[in-house]
């Protein structure tokens, strides 16, 4: 949409849980951020415990990891 929300984030925000389940099982990426920086992963993990959060924790892929310590050096981020 105009705010950069992915179908997965839209389904979550509009309480379309069946669509959310289906998109996740079809490997929708929960880590794509909208213009405000929110992702389906961050929104789900910020929500209270319940069936959606539990399903997400069991079904979603792990968050992406940098391939090397210098993966973000081009952003000017210090290496810890």
């Amino acid at each position: 949409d105009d705010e950069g929300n992915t179908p997965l984030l839209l389904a979550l925000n509009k309480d379309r849980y069946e669509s959310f389940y289906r998109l996740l099982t079809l490997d929708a990426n929960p880590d794509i951020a909208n213009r405000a920086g929110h992702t389906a992963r961050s929104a789900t993990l910020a929500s209270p415990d319940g069936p959606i959060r539990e399903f997400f924790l069991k079904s979603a892929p792990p968050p992406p990891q940098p391939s090397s310590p210098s993966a973000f050096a081009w952003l000017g981020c210090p290496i810890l």
Side-chain angles (χ1 to χ4, degrees):
D1 70 357
D2 293 341
E3 296 174 10
N5 292 310
T6 63
L8 192 59
L9 193 52
L10 285 171
L12 183 63
N13 289 340
K14 296 187 180 289
D15 298 330
R16 302 287 189 137
Y17 300 131
E18 191 171 319
S19 297
F20 182 81
Y21 291 136
R22 183 77 173 138
L23 287 164
L24 261 184
T25 59
L26 292 171
D27 296 327
N29 185 343
D31 298 305
I32 299 172
N34 65 9
R35 295 189 201 293
H38 302 288
T39 66
R41 182 182 303 278
S42 64
T44 303
L45 296 179
S47 66
D49 287 341
I52 292 292
R53 191 171 197 268
E54 200 167 305
F55 176 80
F56 182 84
L57 292 172
K58 290 179 184 174
S59 305
Q65 300 294 318
S67 58
S68 69
S70 61
F72 294 105
W74 62 274
L75 289 173
C77 297
I79 298 174
L80 303 176

